[in-house]
């Protein structure tokens, strides 16, 4: 990969004047991202919508192009060379994902369209097979809709109940004070690792251990943490973990579910069709061994290839370095935003993931985002698929700036300048 050859030569550290921390992400990293070099409305793009999706570096784009130009065929089917290559690429990506999250085996990895499908898969298979009336599914009040609605649907079908770990009064963290009571009769604990609305990094290792102690199965929504901090499913001690490739420099339409082998063995199929069966009769069929049993139809082979390239790219940077950079930019952004009068900043007081959500008392979030866009700054506004949480926050919508390793403090400064200008205008 070109950029890797470049890394040692251009590698340099830039000082971080405010907190004295150094980032080990080279400033030249931005050259790997074609989208980042453009102007929007005559201004250099400041892309602060990374929690929604990240930009893609050249090695990922090239890997996808190379796959389609040289190896394209269907998997697990042909005896011919191209099919063998496509199968090797697809299964190689499964091994890469297992390695990326330290899963014991590639068999523990089920490819999905993303986090949403991974969560729905658990609800439709493990959930439908194991939950009965009166069983409790424990979630948190800061879940994304994709870790809420599938459980609502399952609860309606099975008679299971939903219970929630609340957020603290300052809306910064989970309130774990009554956790032991909340864990009674719990069969499944499913929670987000990093909140996409607040930036809170939840103590998932501790929570999984407590849930396991009462015999519950655990699921971690790693949509905002995979590719942002070191992720090790064995250290987390979770049974399931879901994430999306597009939020970690990979393509859209591919993600993965880690599912512990013992649980997979007892799970009914998800969808029926080709690839997931071993023998089919007119009345009944036999299924492939997991994980193939859960992957019906032609999979997203090129997506898996792109995801593999993204994981190589991220690992060369190092997850510790990415996390340090993310949290540094978020802390700096929070500090600069706090300079404004009439602003309410959400999330934890201490360390947070790479995002900051906020509202201005007197400025509508939609006006803010629209005018920021006119200046080339991309932020997101709305409830960020956490409507019940926003109800608790008492605001219908927040503005959210979310960061990744290619963002800089200089971009935060530009963002603040733009906000100052916009607020002046709207006043
Ligand atoms: N969970 C969280 C915490 C998220 O931030 C997101 C994406 N915003 C999702 C789940 C859903 O991910 P996807 O849309 O890629 O399936």
């Amino acid at each position: 990969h070109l950029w890797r050859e470049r890394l040692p030569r251009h590698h340099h550290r830039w000082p971080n004047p405010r907190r004295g921390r150094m980032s080990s992400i080279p400033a030249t990293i931005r050259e790997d991202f074609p989208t980042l070099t453009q102007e929007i409305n005559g201004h250099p793009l400041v892309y602060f919508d990374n929690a929604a999706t990240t930009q893609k570096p050249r090695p990922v784009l090239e890997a996808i192009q190379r796959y389609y130009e040289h190896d394209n065929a269907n998997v697990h089917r042909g005896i011919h060379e191209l099919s063998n290559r496509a199968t090797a690429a697809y299964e190689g990506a499964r091994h890469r994902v297992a390695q990326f999250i330290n899963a014991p085996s590639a068999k523990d990895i089920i490819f999905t369209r993303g986090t949403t499908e991974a969560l729905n898969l658990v609800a439709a298979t493990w959930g439908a097979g194991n939950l009965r009336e009166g069983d409790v599914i424990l979630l948190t009040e800061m879940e994304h809709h994709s870790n809420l609605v599938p459980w609502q649907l399952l609860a309606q079908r099975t008679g299971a109940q939903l219970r929630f770990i609340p957020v603290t009064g300052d809306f910064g963290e989970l309130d774990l004070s009554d956790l032991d009571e909340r864990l009674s009769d719990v069969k499944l604990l499913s929670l987000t690792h990093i909140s996409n609305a607040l930036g809170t990094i939840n103590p998932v290792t501790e929570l999984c251990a407590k849930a396991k102690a009462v015999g519950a199965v655990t699921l971690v929504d790693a949509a905002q943490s995979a590719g942002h901090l070191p992720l090790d499913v064995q250290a987390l001690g979770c049974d399931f973990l879901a994430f999306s490739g597009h939020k970690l420099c990979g393509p859209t339409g591919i993600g993965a579910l880690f599912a512990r082998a013992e649980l997979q063995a007892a799970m009914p199929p998800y969808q029926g069709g080709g690839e997931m069966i071993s023998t089919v009769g007119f009345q009944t069929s036999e299924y492939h061994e997991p994980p193939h049993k859960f992957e019906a139809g032609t999979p997203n082979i090129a997506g898996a290839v792109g995801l593999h390239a993204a994981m190589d790219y991220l690992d060369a940077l190092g997850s510790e370095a990415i996390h340090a950079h993310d949290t540094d930019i978020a802390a700096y952004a929070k500090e600069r935003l706090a300079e404004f009068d009439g602003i309410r900043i959400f999330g934890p007081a201490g360390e947070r993931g790479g995002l900051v959500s906020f509202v201005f008392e007197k400025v509508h979030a939609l006006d803010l985002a629209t005018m920021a866009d006119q200046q080339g700054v991309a932020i997101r506004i709305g409830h960020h698929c956490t409507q019940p949480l926003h109800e608790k926050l008492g605001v219908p919508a927040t503005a959210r700036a979310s960061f990744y390793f290619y963002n800089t403090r200089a971009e935060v400064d530009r963002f603040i300048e733009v906000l100052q200008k916009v607020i002046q205008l709207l006043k």
Side-chain angles (χ1 to χ4, degrees):
H1 294 159
L2 269 181
W3 74 273
R4 241 196 258 164
E5 285 157 26
R6 252 193 351 245
L7 198 59
R9 272 188 286 131
H10 290 260
H11 187 81
H12 68 266
R13 290 159 175 265
W14 73 85
N16 176 334
R18 291 197 175 224
R19 293 167 74 217
R21 248 162 97 175
M22 310 278 268
S23 174
S24 60
I25 307 283
T28 49
I29 203 77
R30 293 175 66 84
E31 294 166 17
D32 288 344
F33 292 81
T35 38
L36 292 180
T37 56
Q38 64 189 301
E39 294 202 336
I40 302 289
N41 301 319
H43 301 276
L45 167 65
V46 173
Y47 185 76
F48 281 176
D49 197 14
N50 292 286
T53 200
T54 60
Q55 299 302 335
K56 320 304 172 198
R58 277 204 179 84
V60 169
L61 305 174
E62 287 163 3
I64 296 167
Q65 174 107 0
R66 206 163 43 236
Y67 167 74
Y68 276 129
E69 283 184 354
H70 297 282
D71 307 324
N72 177 56
N74 214 324
V75 291
H76 308 135
R77 293 183 185 178
I79 309 293
H80 58 83
E81 169 69 16
L82 291 192
S83 179
N84 292 339
R85 278 193 226 158
T87 306
Y90 184 65
E91 293 304 324
R94 196 190 305 277
H95 278 88
R96 188 68 183 85
V97 171
Q99 185 193 15
F100 191 75
I101 58 171
N102 197 31
S105 157
K107 289 183 188 158
D108 303 335
I109 306 301
I110 300 166
F111 278 122
T112 64
R113 281 193 296 121
T115 309
T116 303
E117 187 175 42
L119 295 166
N120 276 280
L121 192 156
V122 178
T125 58
W126 180 86
N130 290 279
L131 293 182
R132 309 272 167 274
E133 191 166 352
D135 288 345
V136 176
I137 301 169
L138 184 61
L139 307 171
T140 83
E141 286 181 345
M142 59 171 83
E143 295 313 312
H144 188 277
H145 294 165
S146 66
N147 193 27
L148 172 59
V149 182
W151 308 118
Q152 291 175 345
L153 293 170
L154 182 67
Q156 282 157 17
R157 278 200 301 271
T158 59
Q161 298 168 26
L162 304 185
R163 193 183 288 161
F164 297 88
I165 301 175
V167 289
T168 49
D170 62 358
F171 310 119
E173 290 165 29
L174 292 177
D175 177 354
L176 302 177
S177 51
D178 296 321
L179 185 63
D180 290 340
E181 283 141 62
R182 287 207 171 82
L183 275 170
S184 69
D185 297 323
V186 166
K187 292 287 182 306
L188 174 75
L189 167 69
S190 185
L191 85 162
T192 191
H193 195 172
I194 297 183
S195 160
N196 69 310
L198 300 173
T200 315
I201 305 174
N202 287 320
V204 280
T205 309
E206 180 193 332
L207 288 168
C208 286
K210 291 220 162 176
K212 192 145 270 185
V214 300
V217 162
T218 54
L219 192 167
V220 174
D221 172 354
Q224 295 296 339
S225 61
H228 288 263
L229 47 72
L231 206 55
D232 178 335
V233 288
Q234 297 187 63
L236 289 177
C238 57
D239 295 304
F240 296 107
L241 179 137
F243 69 89
S244 303
H246 70 95
K247 290 185 200 275
L248 50 87
C249 291
T252 50
I254 187 84
L257 173 69
F258 159 77
R260 263 196 324 109
E262 304 90 280
L263 292 171
Q264 281 195 53
M267 277 152 53
Y270 175 45
Q271 295 175 330
E275 303 281 347
M276 53 78 72
I277 42 72
S278 52
T279 48
V280 176
F282 279 112
Q283 298 295 337
T284 56
S285 299
E286 282 173 29
Y287 313 122
H288 266 318
E289 291 296 310
H292 298 106
K293 173 177 167 182
F294 303 105
E295 294 178 4
T298 300
N300 185 352
I301 309 161
V305 167
L307 181 60
H308 187 154
M311 290 181 163
D312 285 350
Y313 187 88
L314 295 179
D315 274 350
L317 288 174
S319 51
E320 302 274 4
I322 293 171
H323 179 55
H325 190 90
D326 261 18
T327 52
D328 175 64
I329 297 283
Y332 182 58
K334 186 184 164 194
E335 196 178 306
R336 296 278 345 249
L337 281 167
E339 293 168 11
F340 286 100
D341 291 328
I343 194 170
R344 196 174 152 205
I345 301 172
F346 298 97
E351 192 180 61
R352 58 170 63 215
L355 63 93
V356 188
S357 297
F358 55 94
V359 289
F360 281 99
E361 267 165 29
K362 299 212 169 89
V363 182
H364 198 282
L366 180 60
D367 294 335
L368 195 80
T370 309
M371 292 181 73
D373 177 56
Q374 286 164 7
Q375 306 281 315
V377 176
I379 57 169
R380 181 160 177 200
I381 55 140
H383 51 61
H384 317 298
C385 298
T386 54
Q387 227 173 341
L389 175 69
H390 276 69
E391 217 162 275
K392 281 206 87 166
L393 299 178
V395 291
T398 52
R400 179 185 72 187
S402 55
F403 318 106
Y404 212 13
F405 56 82
Y406 40 67
N407 291 125
T408 65
R409 285 177 160 235
E411 286 185 302
V412 174
D413 291 335
R414 162 118 181 92
F415 167 59
I416 297 293
E417 254 170 54
V418 165
L419 286 186
Q420 283 163 346
K421 218 188 277 183
V422 166
I423 282 162
Q424 204 58 37
L425 278 170
L426 289 172
K427 265 184 182 166

